[in-house]
Structures are given as structure tokens and as C-alpha cells.
Amino acid sequence: MTVNVKGRNVEVTPAMREYVEKKIAKVTRQFKSVGDISAVMKIEHGNHIVEITVPASGVLIRAQESTKDMYTSIDLVVEKIERQIHKYKTRLMKRKYSNFVDPTPTPAPVADEGEFEVIKNKRFTLRPMNIEEAILQMNLLNHDFFVFYDSDNEGVRVVYRRKDGKYGLLVPEFK
């Protein structure tokens, strides 16, 4: 496991780097395999923002926090990742034992209408998973939708969070 600490608009001191590595090491002990962890620290409009991405055991956990102090932001983002890991482990246990209660998801915000401009292209690898794993991954990333390869039905699918808090599934068909 490698922790890549980067700074944008801020110089990452050895003390800050060591602090992030120490905090992340505690969190990642719960997984058998952990990939390269990315921590980005930046200052925007006086806010100290820390974003940490942890690829662990086939899931991607990401969190971001913003405060007026960099060390406070680090503490809060690590706490958020710990909660996400706990949520992930709880859902695994629920799937195995069926005696855990799901937390209530938050509804997605409505996008404004405007001119259509693509500002970012993103490439990613589709990993085979079932619908439940895709919903779990979407929630861990705190996204409103997630594209995945459905291992049960052998096709690309999109799972999304509806305004009522429930989930929807898009199944593309080619003509």
C-alpha cells in the first residue's frame, strides 16, 4: 500500500504527509488488499480541502472534507472514510446474515437546465458485479449513479438513486 499525498495551491509538509499516512494506515487495516491510496490537499477560497480515495478489496471509497484548518479536514475526511467502511462491512454482513437495517439514502439534487458542454471525459474499467454490489459501490462513492457490468445478466447496466430515495436500473438495448 502506497499513500500518494499531493498538494494543489498548498505545499505538503513532511509533517502533513506523515499525519495523513498514519491516519490512513489505521483505516486500511480492515481490508486484505489495498491499492495505491490518493490524498489531495488544496486550498480554495480560504478553505482547506482534503480528498482521499482508497481502492480496497474491489471497492473504491472516496471522501472529501473542507474546513478552515488542514489537520481538521484530514481528521474529518478519515472519519468519513471510517463510516463508509463500517457501512460497507455492515452491508456485507446484512447480505450474509439478513439481520441488519439499511441506512436511508439521501435524494439527489436536481440539475439546472442550460447549455450542454462536456467539460470532462473519464475512462474507467468495468468490473463484473451484481446489482447489490453496484448500489453499494455507488453509495460508497457518494454518487447518484453507477455504471457497471452485470455479472448475472452479462451486460452493461446503470444503477441510479431516484428522488424518492429508492434505486432504479437502466438496461440499454441496441437496435
Side-chain angles (χ1 to χ4, degrees):
M1 168 191 81
T2 305
V3 180
N4 299 317
V5 182
K6 299 176 187 172
R8 293 189 189 146
N9 301 332
V10 66
E11 182 182 338
V12 179
T13 65
M16 288 171 32
R17 181 180 308 277
E18 187 177 309
Y19 191 74
V20 169
E21 289 173 352
K22 183 178 118 184
K23 289 288 197 171
I24 290 295
K26 289 180 184 177
V27 172
T28 56
R29 278 186 263 165
Q30 300 180 34
F31 290 102
K32 291 179 182 174
S33 65
V34 177
D36 291 342
I37 297 168
S38 169
V40 179
M41 300 176 180
K42 54 189 170 184
I43 298 176
E44 292 179 357
H45 307 294
N47 290 325
H48 296 257
I49 303 166
V50 177
E51 178 184 313
I52 297 178
T53 305
V54 180
S57 298
V59 297
L60 189 65
I61 300 169
R62 181 180 303 134
Q64 177 177 320
E65 276 298 329
S66 173
T67 64
K68 297 292 180 189
D69 177 58
M70 191 63 75
Y71 287 95
T72 305
S73 294
I74 293 168
D75 290 340
L76 291 175
V77 78
V78 169
E79 285 176 16
K80 194 179 265 188
I81 286 177
E82 286 174 338
R83 284 193 305 271
Q84 289 179 355
I85 290 171
H86 177 73
K87 189 176 182 179
Y88 172 70
K89 297 280 186 171
T90 301
R91 291 207 177 170
L92 288 178
M93 294 300 289
K94 179 182 182 258
R95 206 177 304 152
K96 187 173 182 179
Y97 296 110
S98 301
N99 63 349
F100 288 88
V101 179
D102 281 341
T104 307
T106 56
V110 179
D112 294 333
E113 277 192 54
E115 193 165 315
F116 302 111
E117 180 183 1
V118 176
I119 58 170
K120 185 176 180 181
N121 289 327
K122 189 171 184 177
R123 293 180 179 266
F124 58 94
T125 304
L126 291 178
R127 201 176 58 98
M129 59 180 70
N130 60 33
I131 295 170
E132 290 81 18
E133 289 172 317
I135 291 172
L136 178 60
Q137 183 70 55
M138 177 184 68
N139 288 334
L140 287 173
L141 292 171
N142 200 22
H143 287 175
D144 296 323
F145 68 94
F146 187 75
V147 179
F148 68 102
Y149 182 81
D150 189 354
S151 59
D152 296 336
N153 298 309
E154 297 184 353
V156 175
R157 307 287 188 255
V158 179
V159 66
Y160 64 95
R161 184 177 299 115
R162 296 168 40 93
K163 290 180 184 177
D164 62 3
K166 296 180 181 172
Y167 299 101
L169 180 68
L170 299 176
V171 181
E173 291 181 3
F174 299 100
K175 285 189 176 187

